[in-house]
Amino acid sequence: MNWACVDSVCYIHPPTKAQLKHKGKSRWLGIGGLIPKTTRPDVMDNLNKLPLDCLSDNKDGSPFVYKDDALIQQCNHISKWHGLNPRIELTLIGY
């Protein structure tokens, strides 16, 4: 792979206690809905380090998904939310 494009990264954080107590928000979360996360950590720097570094070289030097995260040329869509099933969803396009 000569370079990679991160098509989308979606960070789903656990809901806050206040969101779980709020009737409308807890009902929305209960049916799989997502609530925008507007608090720290910031999207561009802190959140992207972990998943992008984890996909680069293994300890033995062989590439896992790509050799170095410096090969990532662009990132199209990044978002962060609150939801009941915390996770990171990452879509890559390799060239």
Side-chain angles (χ1 to χ4, degrees), residues 1-7 65-66 71-72 91-95:
M1 179 181 320
N2 294 328
W3 60 279
C5 168
V6 177
D7 188 47
V65 174
Y66 41 77
L71 292 171
I72 296 175
T91 306
L92 288 173
I93 302 170
Y95 296 97

Side-chain angles (χ1 to χ4, degrees), residues 9-30:
V9 184
C10 182
Y11 299 94
I12 315 292
H13 297 265
T16 64
K17 290 178 184 177
Q19 289 171 335
L20 292 173
K21 288 180 182 178
H22 188 278
K23 279 189 177 181
K25 289 181 181 176
S26 64
R27 200 172 294 139
W28 179 249
L29 288 166

Side-chain angles (χ1 to χ4, degrees), residues 8-84:
S8 65
V9 184
C10 182
Y11 299 94
I12 315 292
H13 297 265
T16 64
K17 290 178 184 177
Q19 289 171 335
L20 292 173
K21 288 180 182 178
H22 188 278
K23 279 189 177 181
K25 289 181 181 176
S26 64
R27 200 172 294 139
W28 179 249
L29 288 166
I31 61 169
L34 299 174
I35 298 171
K37 179 172 172 53
T38 57
T39 57
R40 293 183 183 266
D42 62 275
V43 159
M44 294 310 293
D45 184 35
N46 296 331
L47 286 176
N48 285 332
K49 287 178 186 175
L50 175 69
L52 300 181
D53 284 345
C54 287
L55 296 174
S56 59
D57 277 350
N58 290 319
K59 297 278 186 205
D60 64 2
S62 62
F64 180 59
V65 174
Y66 41 77
K67 181 147 181 67
D68 188 350
D69 59 354
L71 292 171
I72 296 175
Q73 183 263 340
Q74 72 183 45
C75 192
N76 294 331
H77 180 76
I78 304 171
S79 60
K80 59 181 184 173
W81 304 88
H82 287 286
L84 291 180

